[in-house]
């Protein structure tokens, strides 16, 4: 099973991921982290294959999480899905 980090407090994002992971439960194992430190700890010890960073969640410092991923070569494998408030934010990342 592929581990998925979901760094989000947005109920729409969380419900969408839950729905997809339920449908494909044999393939995906999500962990929902509503806190920056919890998400950083998870990526350090579990090395998830997919990381969903919700930049629309004000309570989570997704930029800090992204910097941690970029600074650790072990975390470069896998994918990052960034949920952003506008197309302009995508260009900044």
């Amino acid at each position: 099973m592929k581990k998925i980090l979901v760094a989000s407090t947005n109920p729409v994002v969380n419900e969408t991921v839950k729905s997809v992971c339920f449908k494909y439960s044999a393939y995906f194992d999500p962990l929902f982290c509503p806190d920056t430190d919890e998400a950083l700890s998870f990526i350090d010890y579990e090395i998830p294959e997919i990381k969903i960073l919700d930049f629309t969640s004000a309570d989570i410092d997704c930029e800090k999480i992204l910097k941690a991923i970029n600074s650790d070569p072990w975390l470069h494998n896998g994918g990052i899905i960034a949920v952003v408030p506008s197309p302009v934010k995508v260009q900044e990342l």
Side-chain angles (χ1 to χ4, degrees):
M1 264 207 273
K2 295 194 183 305
K3 295 176 192 166
I4 300 176
L5 164 71
V6 184
S8 177
T9 58
N10 184 331
V12 174
V13 171
N14 289 341
E15 286 303 315
T16 302
V17 173
K18 283 179 189 175
S19 172
V20 170
C21 288
F22 179 76
K23 187 173 183 178
Y24 298 100
S25 61
Y27 303 103
F28 300 117
D29 182 23
L31 177 73
F32 296 86
C33 296
D35 177 76
T36 303
D37 292 332
E38 183 182 357
L40 287 170
S41 178
F42 182 73
I43 63 171
D44 281 343
Y45 296 107
E46 297 294 329
I47 309 177
E49 288 86 356
I50 301 171
K51 301 147 212 71
I52 300 174
L53 306 179
D54 181 8
F55 286 85
T56 67
S57 294
D59 302 337
I60 299 176
D61 188 354
C62 286
E63 291 184 21
K64 183 177 180 180
I65 297 169
L66 188 59
K67 285 179 186 176
I69 293 168
N70 286 333
S71 68
D72 187 345
W74 285 99
L75 300 174
H76 291 180
N77 294 325
I80 298 173
I81 299 172
V83 179
V84 295
S86 70
V88 174
K89 184 68 176 176
V90 173
Q91 298 302 321
E92 293 174 11
L93 301 174

